[in-house]
């Protein structure tokens, strides 16, 4: 199986796709044959989560040797539960808890695996290179990537986050990061500025670094090695719904996903293409509802106000992974995709044709949730179900709850409520006074929900990184860090 750029006929294998992160023409590496993939999904549903991961990753990234070892190293002992991603009942809905990993964010599922894939790819290709991982983060990717790559031989990682665009807890998580090969820097701008700055750094620095011992890659979900591990928990959730008697094998399930860069939900679509009986994937957005508009009209328009919300990891106007869906939806017409992406860059919008649009809407639905509705959802969910959700999960909970579908619906829960204690306390009508550790204790006192150890441990840790740069200084910053 080959990977191909979404914007041209450039091809490579899965090992090199992971190493490169993004295609040289700015496109994303995608598997053009995934719609006809041969995958024994029924057999997969009989497995434990780690064995599922081995089977799924072997299918999606077939050129890696020893996937068993890589999965074991990635996950064993790193998550709160052996199951990695537990499914819990919440009223009529089911919540898939993806935040039980080392940094209490769903990004841990993929970013525990990615460093294993990158180092394996380095050794398999015999590249005597040091990989530098460049990452733009809206808050959670940064910490999860730093933790994943910390002290991994042959790698270095540089993380850029929007100044004032992340929660205090997210900021502390990154600023106190330990490890000899890590670096964190704030950018005066929003997440889209960070992401386009990093994409730009890839294209301009690749040539400059040609022939040196450095090579660049990405820990963002533009990297297929980030996306593939996310397919696993859709299978795990479906397996658990069979186990608890909610469905019988073969019956349809809907998944409602709090969406930013479109990576998480796209992994659900890959699961569907691999045979999992997924009916609808519901894309839930916050006030930055560019995807709701796209998925209901076929017009993607990023020229609109940008809102800073209490769900900062979804404050995104350019959702990179949509490009991989467009690639499949238009019949892999790379010229078409390249054209749309060019329109997006130049005039800020594009419109897809009827056929592409109906391909998309046959599997995807969308709705959004305002700031007030998000707060109300946290309160309602707590009062009605005794379940405490974070601000991102609350967006999806609201959308799923209002939809009232008769199909069993799984809401993906993407962060611990303790990563956003201020917003959660406010929603519950409690005082927001004090530093973020006071808030953790207050939220814990009020709800009795245990605080994740990794967040408690931040108290008193030394701040190692406090640099902030202009958005046009990203390239220089990377070069000076490499020297
Ligand atoms: C990253 C993130 C999201 C959005 O996921 P995408 O794959 O970017 O769509 C949602 N919630 C949280 C908490 C996140 O960290």
């Amino acid at each position: 199986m080959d990977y191909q750029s979404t914007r041209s006929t450039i091809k490579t294998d899965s090992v090199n796709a992971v190493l490169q992160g993004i295609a040289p023409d700015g496109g994303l590496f995608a598997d053009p044959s995934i719609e006809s993939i041969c995958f024994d999904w029924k057999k997969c549903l009989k497995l434990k989560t780690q064995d599922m991961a081995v089977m799924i990753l072997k299918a999606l990234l077939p050129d890696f040797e020893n996937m068993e070892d890589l999965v074991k190293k990635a996950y064993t002992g790193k998550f709160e539960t052996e199951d990695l991603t537990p499914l819990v009942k919440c009223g009529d809905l089911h919540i898939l808890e993806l935040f039980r990993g080392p940094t209490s964010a769903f990004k841990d599922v993929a970013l525990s695996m990615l460093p294993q894939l990158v180092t394996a790819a380095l050794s398999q290709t015999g590249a005597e290179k040091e990989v530098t991982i460049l990452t733009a983060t809206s808050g959670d990717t940064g910490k999860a990537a730093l933790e994943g790559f910390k002290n991994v031989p042959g790698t270095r990682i540089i993380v850029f986050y929007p100044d004032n665009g992340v929660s205090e807890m997210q900021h502390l998580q990154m600023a106190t990061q330990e490890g000899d090969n890590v670096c964190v820097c704030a950018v005066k701008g929003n997440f889209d500025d960070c992401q386009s700055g990093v994409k730009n750094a890839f294209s301009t620095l690749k040539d400059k670094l040609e022939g040196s011992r450095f090579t660049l890659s990405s820990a963002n979900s533009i990297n297929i090695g980030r996306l593939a591990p996310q397919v696993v928990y859709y299978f795990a959730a479906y397996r658990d719904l069979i186990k608890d008697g909610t469905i019988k094998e073969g019956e349809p399930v809907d998944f409602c996903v709090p969406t930013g860069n479109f990576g998480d939900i796209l992994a659900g679509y890959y699961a569907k293409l691999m045979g999992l009986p997924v009916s609808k994937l519901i894309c839930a957005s916050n006030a930055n509802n560019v995807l709701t508009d796209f998925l209901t009209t076929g017009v993607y328009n990023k020229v609109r106000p940008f809102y800073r919300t209490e769900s900062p990891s979804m404050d995104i106007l350019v959702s990179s992974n949509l490009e991989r869906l467009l690639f499949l939806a238009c019949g892999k017409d790379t010229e078409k995709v390249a054209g749309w992406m060019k329109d997006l860059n130049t005039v800020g919008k594009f419109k897809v044709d009827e056929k592409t649009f109906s391909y998309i809407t046959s599997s995807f639905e969308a709705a959004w949730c305002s700031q007030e509705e998000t707060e109300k959802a946290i309160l309602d969910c707590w009062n009605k179900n005794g379940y405490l959700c974070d601000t991102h999960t609350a967006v999806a909970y609201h959308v799923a709850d209002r939809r009232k579908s008769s199909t069993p619906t799984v809401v993906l829960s993407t962060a611990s409520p303790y990563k956003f204690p201020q917003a959660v306390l406010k929603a519950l009508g409690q005082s927001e006074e004090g530093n973020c550790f006071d808030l953790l204790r207050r939220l814990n006192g009020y709800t009795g929900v245990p605080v994740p150890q990794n967040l408690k441990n931040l108290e008193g840790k030394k701040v190692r990184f406090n640099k902030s740069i202009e958005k046009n200084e990203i390239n220089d910053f990377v070069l000076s860090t490499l020297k």
Side-chain angles (χ1 to χ4, degrees), residues 106-107 140 258-264 313-314 316 390 392 414-415:
F106 98 93
K107 309 285 199 297
D140 282 346
T259 296
N261 226 355
F262 211 75
D264 202 3
S313 298
M314 297 157 68
I316 292 179
D390 94 293
H392 302 75
T414 48

Side-chain angles (χ1 to χ4, degrees), residues 150-188:
K150 171 179 80 179
N151 296 333
V152 171
T155 71
R156 247 195 242 221
I157 172 160
I158 308 176
V159 169
F160 296 99
Y161 69 90
D163 216 359
N164 303 319
V166 300
S167 81
E168 188 186 351
M169 192 59 84
Q170 289 176 316
H171 172 245
L172 268 183
Q173 280 188 303
M174 289 189 279
T176 60
Q177 177 66 42
E178 291 161 2
D180 299 329
N181 62 338
V182 304
C183 177
V184 178
C185 182
V187 174
K188 293 180 185 126

Side-chain angles (χ1 to χ4, degrees), residues 25 136 230 292 378 392 433 459 466:
D25 58 4
Q230 298 183 355
T292 313
I378 292 172
H392 302 75
E433 295 295 305
E459 194 163 16
N466 54 14

Side-chain angles (χ1 to χ4, degrees), residues 103-104 167-170 172-173 388 390 415-426 428 430-460:
T103 78
S104 301
S167 81
E168 188 186 351
M169 192 59 84
Q170 289 176 316
L172 268 183
Q173 280 188 303
L388 187 66
D390 94 293
S416 159
Y418 286 102
K419 288 195 86 170
F420 309 92
Q422 187 180 4
V424 174
L425 280 166
K426 177 165 179 245
L428 297 176
Q430 302 303 302
S431 160
E432 309 156 55
E433 295 295 305
N435 71 26
C436 64
F437 299 103
D438 297 331
L439 302 186
L440 288 191
R441 285 183 280 267
R442 189 171 312 127
L443 187 55
N444 172 250
Y446 182 71
T447 63
V449 174
V451 184
Q453 196 61 43
N454 76 81
L455 299 179
K456 275 196 222 170
N457 290 350
L458 291 176
E459 194 163 16

Side-chain angles (χ1 to χ4, degrees), residues 78-81 83-88 95-110 112 140 144 173 233 258 264 387-394 411-420 449-455:
K78 297 235 187 97
F79 280 60
E80 282 175 42
T81 54
D83 188 20
L84 306 187
T85 54
L87 186 75
V88 300
I95 299 223
L96 179 57
E97 294 188 335
L98 303 177
F99 58 82
R100 299 292 184 185
T103 78
S104 301
F106 98 93
K107 309 285 199 297
D108 287 325
V109 177
S112 300
D140 282 346
Q173 280 188 303
Y233 46 72
D264 202 3
Y387 189 84
L388 187 66
C389 56
D390 94 293
T391 48
H392 302 75
T393 308
V411 172
L412 273 60
S413 176
T414 48
S416 159
Y418 286 102
K419 288 195 86 170
F420 309 92
V449 174
V451 184
Q453 196 61 43
N454 76 81
L455 299 179

